Amino acid sequence: MQQMHEKMLAAKTPAERNALMAEQMKLMQNGMNMMGGMGGMGGMGASSSPGKPADMAARQGMLEQRMDMMQSMMQMMLDRMQSVPAPK
């Protein structure tokens, strides 16, 4: 996702940016699907015992991953909005 963000920022013409937008949107949709597939907080199944320190660390790691991905997606959307000229 970071590579796509860098490509969008490096695009010099509106045509280049438009060509990358469809690819960026697909990447973001895939990311959202992946986050949805993680299930509730971290995707831990009913078989795991709540409260174990290892489980809590794993859940924390998954939560941090989700937050990082969401932050990347939001930054890409903001950059995309700035690259589109405002109507007059």
Side-chain angles (χ1 to χ4, degrees):
M1 200 168 300
Q2 183 64 32
Q3 289 174 343
M4 175 55 70
H5 186 231
E6 290 170 4
K7 284 183 189 179
M8 287 291 287
L9 292 176
K12 295 185 181 6
T13 65
E16 286 180 65
R17 280 190 289 277
N18 287 338
L20 289 170
M21 281 189 191
E23 187 179 345
Q24 181 187 33
M25 192 60 94
K26 184 176 181 179
L27 182 65
M28 289 171 56
Q29 287 174 339
N30 288 342
M32 291 299 290
N33 288 338
M34 184 182 76
M35 284 193 298
M38 288 180 183
M41 280 287 262
M44 297 289 169
S47 62
S48 66
S49 353
K52 284 187 178 178
D55 290 340
M56 293 303 290
R59 291 177 71 144
Q60 180 67 29
M62 296 287 276
L63 180 58
E64 288 175 11
Q65 276 186 313
R66 287 181 75 163
M67 294 300 291
D68 288 345
M69 185 179 296
M70 289 172 62
Q71 185 176 359
S72 291
M73 287 181 180
M74 290 180 73
Q75 186 62 53
M76 282 194 280
M77 287 188 286
L78 287 171
D79 291 344
R80 186 175 179 176
M81 287 172 50
Q82 291 172 356
S83 70
V84 176
K88 295 182 179 182

